[in-house]
Amino acid sequence: MNDTNIPASEKYVLTIKEAACYFGIGENKLRRLAAGKPTASWVILNGNRILIKRRQLEKILDSQDQI
């Protein structure tokens, strides 16, 4: 696979590390949120890897006052 550097703002899914940088949320906090709701619409489990659907999490965070 050709490794091109696609900005996080254009990716469909983000790794925990990418999502932490993009949203300004700690990696551990994101892992706890995803582990607490593994069937959430913004979480994709690929084996033991957690992937975050960027747009869905953006919508959820936009509607929250605190996480």
Side-chain angles (χ1 to χ4, degrees):
M1 186 164 158
N2 190 4
D3 183 25
T4 58
N5 291 327
I6 300 170
S9 61
E10 294 181 14
K11 290 185 176 182
Y12 181 74
V13 293
L14 303 172
T15 63
I16 292 288
K17 189 171 187 173
E18 290 171 332
C21 290
Y22 183 78
F23 291 110
I25 299 172
E27 288 182 36
N28 290 333
K29 179 70 170 190
L30 281 171
R31 287 183 196 283
R32 281 194 305 263
L33 289 171
K37 297 183 180 180
T39 59
S41 65
W42 55 274
V43 176
I44 297 176
L45 298 176
N46 183 12
N48 64 349
R49 176 181 251 183
I50 299 171
L51 298 173
I52 307 296
K53 293 182 185 177
R54 182 184 52 82
R55 288 185 183 156
Q56 280 86 349
L57 187 55
E58 281 178 355
K59 289 177 187 177
I60 291 168
L61 292 177
D62 284 343
S63 67
Q64 300 295 314
D65 292 331
Q66 64 183 18
I67 56 170

